[in-house]
Amino acid sequence: MQKKINIKKLNNKPLYEGRSFRLNLESYQQIITDLDDQEVGRVDIERGIVRHNGASIVVAINNDEKLLLIKQYRYPIDKLNFEFVCGGIEKGSDPLETAARELQEEGGVIAGKLEYVSELIPSPGFCDEIQYLFLARDLSPSSLPLDEDEFIEVCYFSLSEIEEMIRTGLILDAKSIAA
């Protein structure tokens, strides 16, 4: 028997609000119906939900067909991490503007061509973050100051080198692997 699920939101309790995300305790009811809209079940659910402003990821390729990765320490995992340029979208900002700014800040370059590619949803089970993926070409040196907590090394690798880094576990960052 095929079923449909309808959602009835019940409660939303804010627990934390930061610069780029909020944590809410949300409750809702899943109402399960058959194709004739006859109710066949009902489930009450309560869970912590991260409401995120989103992020922009940039895959930047230079004239030698090398891809720009940044190497930086990530406190939550307590290790150096290789990843594509990425930054959180501030409230009211545009993903494309964020991508251009982050490329300049973290990568030290601007793109003559910056195009939207796709969207990623990294953790839909508890977070509504959308990561907007962009491709940058025609790179020129330019920089903006890094955030005060960022210590970044810019590196360039061929696609085959990046594939090997993924295979050997040197790149573990999911958004970079997906990109």
Side-chain angles (χ1 to χ4, degrees):
M1 171 182 14
Q2 288 190 336
K3 299 174 185 172
K4 296 190 296 186
I5 297 176
N6 298 300
I7 302 297
K8 179 181 176 186
K9 294 182 181 185
L10 301 174
N11 195 11
N12 180 3
K13 179 181 177 187
L15 299 176
Y16 169 81
E17 183 161 351
R19 193 177 89 188
S20 61
F21 72 89
R22 297 170 312 286
L23 174 61
N24 298 334
L25 183 60
E26 298 185 22
S27 59
Y28 58 97
Q29 196 169 66
Q30 284 184 340
I31 303 162
I32 301 111
T33 61
D34 61 21
L35 293 179
D36 295 324
D37 289 327
Q38 299 299 311
E39 185 175 320
V40 295
R42 201 175 271 254
V43 180
D44 290 338
I45 298 170
E46 181 178 76
R47 62 173 46 140
I49 305 289
V50 175
R51 298 296 180 185
H52 197 284
N53 294 342
S56 292
I57 307 163
V58 184
V59 176
I61 304 173
N62 70 11
N63 291 336
D64 297 327
E65 295 299 308
K66 299 240 177 173
L67 289 83
L68 187 157
L69 289 179
I70 58 172
K71 182 180 177 182
Q72 68 178 324
Y73 175 78
R74 292 294 198 173
Y75 177 79
I77 60 171
D78 191 27
K79 63 178 12 176
L80 286 169
N81 198 46
F82 283 100
E83 58 194 70
F84 286 116
V85 166
C86 183
I89 299 170
E90 296 173 9
K91 271 189 180 174
S93 289
D94 176 69
L96 180 64
E97 292 169 4
T98 300
R101 183 191 69 243
E102 292 296 328
L103 184 60
Q104 200 172 3
E105 281 178 12
E106 295 182 353
V109 294
I110 57 172
K113 186 176 180 184
L114 184 60
E115 62 182 300
Y116 169 83
V117 175
S118 186
E119 295 173 13
L120 306 172
I121 302 174
S123 301
F126 71 91
C127 182
D128 67 353
E129 178 184 15
I130 297 173
Q131 297 175 339
Y132 300 88
L133 179 60
F134 294 89
L135 179 64
R137 289 195 173 270
D138 302 326
L139 307 180
S140 302
S142 180
S143 64
L144 289 171
L146 292 168
D147 292 340
E148 67 181 30
D149 64 340
E150 291 179 317
F151 300 94
I152 291 173
E153 179 184 342
V154 174
C155 308
Y156 285 88
F157 297 98
S158 68
L159 182 57
S160 62
E161 290 172 317
I162 290 175
E163 289 170 341
E164 181 65 17
M165 292 167 76
I166 292 168
R167 272 194 296 283
T168 60
L170 198 53
I171 296 176
L172 295 171
D173 177 57
K175 70 183 177 302
S176 296
I177 293 170

